[in-house]
mmCIF file of all heavy atoms in Angstrom:
data_model
loop_
_atom_site.group_PDB
_atom_site.id
_atom_site.type_symbol
_atom_site.label_atom_id
_atom_site.label_comp_id
_atom_site.label_asym_id
_atom_site.label_seq_id
_atom_site.Cartn_x
_atom_site.Cartn_y
_atom_site.Cartn_z
ATOM 1 N N ILE A 1 100.786 89.816 64.943
ATOM 2 C CA ILE A 1 99.746 90.728 64.564
ATOM 3 C C ILE A 1 99.564 91.973 65.389
ATOM 4 O O ILE A 1 98.601 92.821 65.382
ATOM 5 C CB ILE A 1 98.327 89.953 64.670
ATOM 6 C CG1 ILE A 1 98.125 89.370 66.083
ATOM 7 C CG2 ILE A 1 98.376 88.726 63.628
ATOM 8 C CD1 ILE A 1 96.870 89.880 66.699
ATOM 9 N N GLY A 2 100.637 92.256 66.315
ATOM 10 C CA GLY A 2 100.638 93.568 66.979
ATOM 11 C C GLY A 2 100.161 93.584 68.399
ATOM 12 O O GLY A 2 99.804 94.716 68.964
ATOM 13 N N VAL A 3 99.924 92.466 69.008
ATOM 14 C CA VAL A 3 99.740 92.360 70.484
ATOM 15 C C VAL A 3 101.011 92.086 71.177
ATOM 16 O O VAL A 3 101.690 91.032 70.815
ATOM 17 C CB VAL A 3 98.595 91.204 70.757
ATOM 18 C CG1 VAL A 3 98.454 91.028 72.310
ATOM 19 C CG2 VAL A 3 97.397 91.541 70.067
ATOM 20 N N LEU A 4 101.413 92.744 72.194
ATOM 21 C CA LEU A 4 102.635 92.574 72.762
ATOM 22 C C LEU A 4 102.392 91.649 74.024
ATOM 23 O O LEU A 4 101.748 92.059 74.893
ATOM 24 C CB LEU A 4 103.250 93.890 73.202
ATOM 25 C CG LEU A 4 104.530 93.930 73.984
ATOM 26 C CD1 LEU A 4 105.699 93.191 73.127
ATOM 27 C CD2 LEU A 4 104.850 95.206 74.442
ATOM 28 N N PRO A 5 102.984 90.479 74.117
ATOM 29 C CA PRO A 5 102.976 89.649 75.236
ATOM 30 C C PRO A 5 104.118 89.943 76.164
ATOM 31 O O PRO A 5 105.285 89.830 75.782
ATOM 32 C CB PRO A 5 103.138 88.146 74.616
ATOM 33 C CG PRO A 5 103.841 88.460 73.363
ATOM 34 C CD PRO A 5 103.679 89.810 72.864
ATOM 35 N N VAL A 6 103.700 90.354 77.373
ATOM 36 C CA VAL A 6 104.766 90.845 78.339
ATOM 37 C C VAL A 6 104.779 89.787 79.462
ATOM 38 O O VAL A 6 103.873 89.681 80.204
ATOM 39 C CB VAL A 6 104.413 92.153 78.955
ATOM 40 C CG1 VAL A 6 105.417 92.503 80.055
ATOM 41 C CG2 VAL A 6 104.648 93.273 77.747
ATOM 42 N N GLN A 7 105.915 89.014 79.483
ATOM 43 C CA GLN A 7 106.023 88.100 80.592
ATOM 44 C C GLN A 7 106.781 88.652 81.789
ATOM 45 O O GLN A 7 107.801 89.172 81.638
ATOM 46 C CB GLN A 7 106.808 86.810 80.157
ATOM 47 C CG GLN A 7 106.820 85.736 81.067
ATOM 48 C CD GLN A 7 107.223 84.422 80.458
ATOM 49 O OE1 GLN A 7 106.837 84.032 79.338
ATOM 50 N NE2 GLN A 7 108.084 83.603 81.059
ATOM 51 N N VAL A 8 106.113 88.525 82.901
ATOM 52 C CA VAL A 8 106.715 89.139 84.140
ATOM 53 C C VAL A 8 106.978 87.863 85.211
ATOM 54 O O VAL A 8 106.265 86.811 85.019
ATOM 55 C CB VAL A 8 105.775 90.230 84.811
ATOM 56 C CG1 VAL A 8 105.659 91.332 83.782
ATOM 57 C CG2 VAL A 8 104.424 89.607 85.068
ATOM 58 N N SER A 9 107.508 88.340 86.332
ATOM 59 C CA SER A 9 107.712 87.357 87.317
ATOM 60 C C SER A 9 106.327 87.046 88.026
ATOM 61 O O SER A 9 105.578 88.018 88.128
ATOM 62 C CB SER A 9 108.771 87.836 88.380
ATOM 63 O OG SER A 9 108.187 88.945 89.062
ATOM 64 N N PRO A 10 106.178 85.823 88.714
ATOM 65 C CA PRO A 10 104.946 85.595 89.469
ATOM 66 C C PRO A 10 104.550 86.763 90.524
ATOM 67 O O PRO A 10 103.507 87.123 90.656
ATOM 68 C CB PRO A 10 105.100 84.385 90.045
ATOM 69 C CG PRO A 10 106.120 83.603 89.110
ATOM 70 C CD PRO A 10 107.034 84.694 88.671
ATOM 71 N N GLU A 11 105.817 87.126 91.163
ATOM 72 C CA GLU A 11 105.655 88.154 92.124
ATOM 73 C C GLU A 11 105.062 89.556 91.667
ATOM 74 O O GLU A 11 104.220 90.236 92.262
ATOM 75 C CB GLU A 11 107.019 88.398 92.944
ATOM 76 C CG GLU A 11 107.525 87.262 93.678
ATOM 77 C CD GLU A 11 108.156 86.157 92.734
ATOM 78 O OE1 GLU A 11 108.448 86.428 91.610
ATOM 79 O OE2 GLU A 11 108.238 85.009 93.276
ATOM 80 N N PHE A 12 105.640 89.862 90.460
ATOM 81 C CA PHE A 12 105.205 91.300 89.911
ATOM 82 C C PHE A 12 103.797 91.104 89.420
ATOM 83 O O PHE A 12 103.045 92.103 89.406
ATOM 84 C CB PHE A 12 106.211 91.607 88.740
ATOM 85 C CG PHE A 12 105.987 92.946 88.343
ATOM 86 C CD1 PHE A 12 106.494 94.019 89.056
ATOM 87 C CD2 PHE A 12 105.330 93.393 87.109
ATOM 88 C CE1 PHE A 12 106.395 95.526 88.750
ATOM 89 C CE2 PHE A 12 105.149 94.670 86.646
ATOM 90 C CZ PHE A 12 105.687 95.620 87.535
ATOM 91 N N LEU A 13 103.387 89.984 88.802
ATOM 92 C CA LEU A 13 102.050 89.745 88.345
ATOM 93 C C LEU A 13 101.125 89.820 89.514
ATOM 94 O O LEU A 13 100.034 90.547 89.374
ATOM 95 C CB LEU A 13 101.937 88.361 87.680
ATOM 96 C CG LEU A 13 100.573 87.951 87.183
ATOM 97 C CD1 LEU A 13 100.278 88.901 85.803
ATOM 98 C CD2 LEU A 13 100.429 86.574 86.677
ATOM 99 N N LYS A 14 101.397 89.342 90.671
ATOM 100 C CA LYS A 14 100.500 89.472 91.832
ATOM 101 C C LYS A 14 100.440 90.919 92.163
ATOM 102 O O LYS A 14 99.352 91.368 92.599
ATOM 103 C CB LYS A 14 101.109 88.571 92.955
ATOM 104 C CG LYS A 14 100.270 88.708 94.338
ATOM 105 C CD LYS A 14 100.786 87.864 95.458
ATOM 106 C CE LYS A 14 99.811 87.985 96.661
ATOM 107 N NZ LYS A 14 99.558 89.312 97.059
ATOM 108 N N ASN A 15 101.571 91.717 92.092
ATOM 109 C CA ASN A 15 101.526 93.097 92.483
ATOM 110 C C ASN A 15 100.536 93.868 91.586
ATOM 111 O O ASN A 15 99.792 94.751 92.019
ATOM 112 C CB ASN A 15 102.975 93.675 92.467
ATOM 113 C CG ASN A 15 103.812 93.228 93.536
ATOM 114 O OD1 ASN A 15 103.325 92.648 94.443
ATOM 115 N ND2 ASN A 15 105.142 93.420 93.466
ATOM 116 N N ILE A 16 100.559 93.393 90.273
ATOM 117 C CA ILE A 16 99.603 94.196 89.285
ATOM 118 C C ILE A 16 98.165 93.787 89.708
ATOM 119 O O ILE A 16 97.368 94.727 89.753
ATOM 120 C CB ILE A 16 99.902 93.651 87.903
ATOM 121 C CG1 ILE A 16 101.349 94.137 87.446
ATOM 122 C CG2 ILE A 16 98.871 94.251 86.906
ATOM 123 C CD1 ILE A 16 101.786 93.529 86.012
ATOM 124 N N PHE A 17 97.911 92.544 89.932
ATOM 125 C CA PHE A 17 96.491 92.170 90.409
ATOM 126 C C PHE A 17 96.137 92.926 91.606
ATOM 127 O O PHE A 17 94.975 93.422 91.712
ATOM 128 C CB PHE A 17 96.457 90.648 90.497
ATOM 129 C CG PHE A 17 96.276 89.885 89.250
ATOM 130 C CD1 PHE A 17 97.068 88.749 89.110
ATOM 131 C CD2 PHE A 17 95.415 90.244 88.270
ATOM 132 C CE1 PHE A 17 96.984 88.038 87.882
ATOM 133 C CE2 PHE A 17 95.331 89.541 87.083
ATOM 134 C CZ PHE A 17 96.218 88.336 86.918
ATOM 135 N N ASP A 18 97.030 92.947 92.631
ATOM 136 C CA ASP A 18 96.688 93.678 93.834
ATOM 137 C C ASP A 18 96.450 95.076 93.521
ATOM 138 O O ASP A 18 95.507 95.698 94.180
ATOM 139 C CB ASP A 18 97.792 93.488 94.831
ATOM 140 C CG ASP A 18 97.901 92.037 95.396
ATOM 141 O OD1 ASP A 18 96.969 91.318 95.131
ATOM 142 O OD2 ASP A 18 99.046 91.835 96.046
ATOM 143 N N ALA A 19 97.170 95.792 92.702
ATOM 144 C CA ALA A 19 97.053 97.146 92.479
ATOM 145 C C ALA A 19 95.620 97.482 91.746
ATOM 146 O O ALA A 19 94.967 98.395 92.092
ATOM 147 C CB ALA A 19 98.219 97.626 91.667
ATOM 148 N N ILE A 20 95.324 96.607 90.834
ATOM 149 C CA ILE A 20 94.077 96.710 90.041
ATOM 150 C C ILE A 20 92.920 96.538 91.019
ATOM 151 O O ILE A 20 91.892 97.216 90.987
ATOM 152 C CB ILE A 20 94.111 95.949 88.844
ATOM 153 C CG1 ILE A 20 95.082 96.318 87.863
ATOM 154 C CG2 ILE A 20 92.570 96.004 88.187
ATOM 155 C CD1 ILE A 20 95.312 95.379 86.677
ATOM 156 N N GLU A 21 93.030 95.523 91.852
ATOM 157 C CA GLU A 21 91.978 95.263 92.881
ATOM 158 C C GLU A 21 91.733 96.411 93.779
ATOM 159 O O GLU A 21 90.696 96.758 94.148
ATOM 160 C CB GLU A 21 92.265 93.971 93.628
ATOM 161 C CG GLU A 21 91.173 93.675 94.670
ATOM 162 C CD GLU A 21 91.462 92.386 95.438
ATOM 163 O OE1 GLU A 21 92.624 91.820 95.309
ATOM 164 O OE2 GLU A 21 90.616 91.884 96.095
ATOM 165 N N ALA A 22 92.862 97.162 94.284
ATOM 166 C CA ALA A 22 92.783 98.210 95.053
ATOM 167 C C ALA A 22 92.192 99.457 94.478
ATOM 168 O O ALA A 22 91.477 100.221 95.031
ATOM 169 C CB ALA A 22 94.121 98.563 95.721
ATOM 170 N N ASN A 23 92.493 99.582 93.145
ATOM 171 C CA ASN A 23 91.996 100.640 92.373
ATOM 172 C C ASN A 23 91.922 100.292 90.858
ATOM 173 O O ASN A 23 92.919 100.244 90.195
ATOM 174 C CB ASN A 23 92.890 101.900 92.510
ATOM 175 C CG ASN A 23 92.477 103.165 91.779
ATOM 176 O OD1 ASN A 23 91.382 103.091 91.126
ATOM 177 N ND2 ASN A 23 93.301 104.124 91.630
ATOM 178 N N PRO A 24 90.696 100.032 90.460
ATOM 179 C CA PRO A 24 90.534 99.704 89.052
ATOM 180 C C PRO A 24 91.054 100.672 87.944
ATOM 181 O O PRO A 24 91.196 100.378 86.816
ATOM 182 C CB PRO A 24 89.080 99.424 88.863
ATOM 183 C CG PRO A 24 88.561 99.257 90.198
ATOM 184 C CD PRO A 24 89.415 100.010 91.124
ATOM 185 N N LYS A 25 91.340 101.928 88.424
ATOM 186 C CA LYS A 25 91.846 102.992 87.604
ATOM 187 C C LYS A 25 93.358 103.028 87.527
ATOM 188 O O LYS A 25 93.917 103.890 86.894
ATOM 189 C CB LYS A 25 91.281 104.324 87.885
ATOM 190 C CG LYS A 25 89.839 104.494 87.806
ATOM 191 C CD LYS A 25 89.257 104.198 86.416
ATOM 192 C CE LYS A 25 87.708 104.223 86.404
ATOM 193 N NZ LYS A 25 87.233 103.901 84.996
ATOM 194 N N THR A 26 93.944 102.000 88.163
ATOM 195 C CA THR A 26 95.417 101.984 88.202
ATOM 196 C C THR A 26 95.928 101.837 86.743
ATOM 197 O O THR A 26 95.383 101.070 85.853
ATOM 198 C CB THR A 26 95.873 100.765 88.966
ATOM 199 O OG1 THR A 26 95.540 100.813 90.248
ATOM 200 C CG2 THR A 26 97.376 100.434 88.752
ATOM 201 N N GLU A 27 96.847 102.652 86.458
ATOM 202 C CA GLU A 27 97.464 102.640 85.129
ATOM 203 C C GLU A 27 98.781 101.839 85.062
ATOM 204 O O GLU A 27 99.506 101.843 86.005
ATOM 205 C CB GLU A 27 97.792 104.019 84.559
ATOM 206 C CG GLU A 27 96.517 104.814 84.280
ATOM 207 C CD GLU A 27 96.797 106.178 83.517
ATOM 208 O OE1 GLU A 27 97.818 106.761 83.811
ATOM 209 O OE2 GLU A 27 96.082 106.496 82.660
ATOM 210 N N ILE A 28 98.989 101.186 83.947
ATOM 211 C CA ILE A 28 100.188 100.438 83.658
ATOM 212 C C ILE A 28 100.837 100.920 82.541
ATOM 213 O O ILE A 28 100.237 101.302 81.524
ATOM 214 C CB ILE A 28 99.900 98.903 83.363
ATOM 215 C CG1 ILE A 28 98.942 98.376 84.530
ATOM 216 C CG2 ILE A 28 101.130 98.055 83.194
ATOM 217 C CD1 ILE A 28 99.547 98.261 85.894
ATOM 218 N N GLU A 29 102.152 101.091 82.589
ATOM 219 C CA GLU A 29 102.911 101.648 81.459
ATOM 220 C C GLU A 29 103.692 100.465 80.825
ATOM 221 O O GLU A 29 104.637 99.795 81.631
ATOM 222 C CB GLU A 29 103.857 102.750 81.794
ATOM 223 C CG GLU A 29 104.777 103.290 80.704
ATOM 224 C CD GLU A 29 105.906 104.305 81.224
ATOM 225 O OE1 GLU A 29 105.487 105.442 81.174
ATOM 226 O OE2 GLU A 29 106.991 103.872 81.446
ATOM 227 N N ILE A 30 103.622 100.224 79.619
ATOM 228 C CA ILE A 30 104.411 99.312 78.844
ATOM 229 C C ILE A 30 105.366 100.094 78.020
ATOM 230 O O ILE A 30 104.994 100.778 76.981
ATOM 231 C CB ILE A 30 103.539 98.323 77.978
ATOM 232 C CG1 ILE A 30 102.488 97.665 78.816
ATOM 233 C CG2 ILE A 30 104.523 97.315 77.391
ATOM 234 C CD1 ILE A 30 102.972 96.786 79.866
ATOM 235 N N ASN A 31 106.710 100.091 78.170
ATOM 236 C CA ASN A 31 107.694 100.807 77.441
ATOM 237 C C ASN A 31 108.488 99.762 76.553
ATOM 238 O O ASN A 31 109.253 99.197 77.083
ATOM 239 C CB ASN A 31 108.574 101.597 78.321
ATOM 240 C CG ASN A 31 109.447 102.470 77.631
ATOM 241 O OD1 ASN A 31 110.123 102.190 76.605
ATOM 242 N ND2 ASN A 31 109.666 103.726 78.170
#
C-alpha cells in the first residue's frame, strides 16, 4: 500500500534514536 519498511542493523537504529533525541529536527533520507 505504499509504506516502505526499512530494516536496519540494531547499531544503526540506535544511532537514529540518539540523533533524534539530540535534535528532533534531525532529517533522515530514504533513497
Side-chain angles (χ1 to χ4, degrees):
I1 59 122
V3 175
L4 180 62
V6 173
Q7 185 166 319
V8 298
S9 67
E11 295 77 18
F12 194 76
L13 184 66
K14 182 181 184 303
N15 290 346
I16 295 174
F17 281 132
D18 289 346
I20 297 172
E21 183 178 2
N23 179 10
K25 298 302 180 185
T26 293
E27 289 191 325
I28 308 295
E29 179 189 270
I30 309 294
N31 186 318

